[in-house]
Amino acid sequence: MFGSESRPSIFKVRYSTLDNTKGFDLAVSKISRHPNYSSATVDYDLAILTLEAPFTPSNTAAVIALAEKTPSEGTLITVTGWGRLAAGGAYPTKLQKADTLKVMSRAECASIWVPLGASITEQMFCAISKTQSSCNADSGGPATHNGLLLGAVSWGSSSCLHATHPNVYADVASLREWIVDQIL
């Protein structure tokens, strides 16, 4: 998504809405991709978008705290986004929420993905549900728990909802120092 050809001016951040045809748009003035990002392994899969103007917090748009610890195995996370409803499917206009995703250990996640040629690193965590999933175009979206930003949607099965293959998220706790350096 953020190749060397990316220009901040082509991005906008929409906020304060559950309907992607409404709300407020803010222009992006700068994109800071993690310097260790690897397109081969999708490691360090995080970028910071700097807005041209501040947004106004309200009961529909707020600032979220960054997690200080990687979520533990069994934690239920919530992922929201306007990505596809199914692999190859339609895009919704209403914000979607998946809240039955359960974090699994890195070791268990690696035992599933590594034989298929993927890497599971310290900058990632995995979660799975048999009934809900993030999907194409949810990338970069928030993975939260109890008012904390735990991660950002990174990658997963091309079928989106897969009974045995978890989705993978950029781990905010392991990337927190870099995030804080970018926003201060």
Side-chain angles (χ1 to χ4, degrees):
M1 178 175 165
F2 296 111
S4 58
E5 71 285 349
S6 293
R7 298 178 314 273
S9 61
I10 66 173
F11 294 95
K12 291 187 183 199
V13 173
R14 179 158 296 160
Y15 76 100
S16 197
T17 185
L18 298 176
D19 182 331
N20 70 6
T21 64
K22 299 177 181 167
F24 302 98
D25 288 338
L26 288 173
V28 173
S29 63
K30 180 181 172 188
I31 300 170
S32 303
R33 181 173 53 187
H34 197 287
N36 296 334
Y37 172 72
S38 167
S39 59
T41 62
V42 200
D43 200 9
Y44 293 92
D45 187 19
L46 200 64
I48 304 295
L49 304 180
T50 302
L51 304 175
E52 280 191 356
F55 80 96
T56 304
S58 68
N59 62 345
T60 59
V63 176
I64 189 168
L66 302 175
E68 294 184 17
K69 295 193 292 191
T70 298
S72 57
E73 184 177 356
T75 300
L76 285 177
I77 64 169
T78 298
V79 176
T80 54
W82 281 293
R84 292 186 187 271
L85 296 173
Y91 294 99
T93 57
K94 302 292 185 205
L95 185 67
Q96 301 296 299
K97 176 173 77 169
D99 56 6
T100 63
L101 297 158
K102 189 179 287 191
V103 174
M104 67 171 40
S105 72
R106 276 196 189 102
E108 182 180 1
C109 186
S111 73
I112 295 166
W113 282 114
V114 170
L116 299 175
S119 298
I120 302 300
T121 72
E122 293 296 315
Q123 290 70 237
M124 303 172 184
F125 71 86
C126 305
I128 193 168
S129 169
K130 294 190 188 295
T131 59
Q132 297 178 322
S133 177
S134 52
C135 198
N136 311 106
D138 283 326
S139 296
T144 65
H145 176 76
N146 286 345
L148 292 175
L149 180 63
L150 302 177
V153 177
S154 183
W155 58 274
S157 169
S158 61
S159 67
C160 296
L161 181 60
H162 196 287
T164 58
H165 289 70
N167 291 317
V168 181
Y169 302 84
D171 184 1
V172 164
S174 69
L175 299 166
R176 190 175 198 280
E177 184 177 326
W178 177 79
I179 295 168
V180 170
D181 286 346
Q182 300 306 303
I183 60 177
L184 293 181

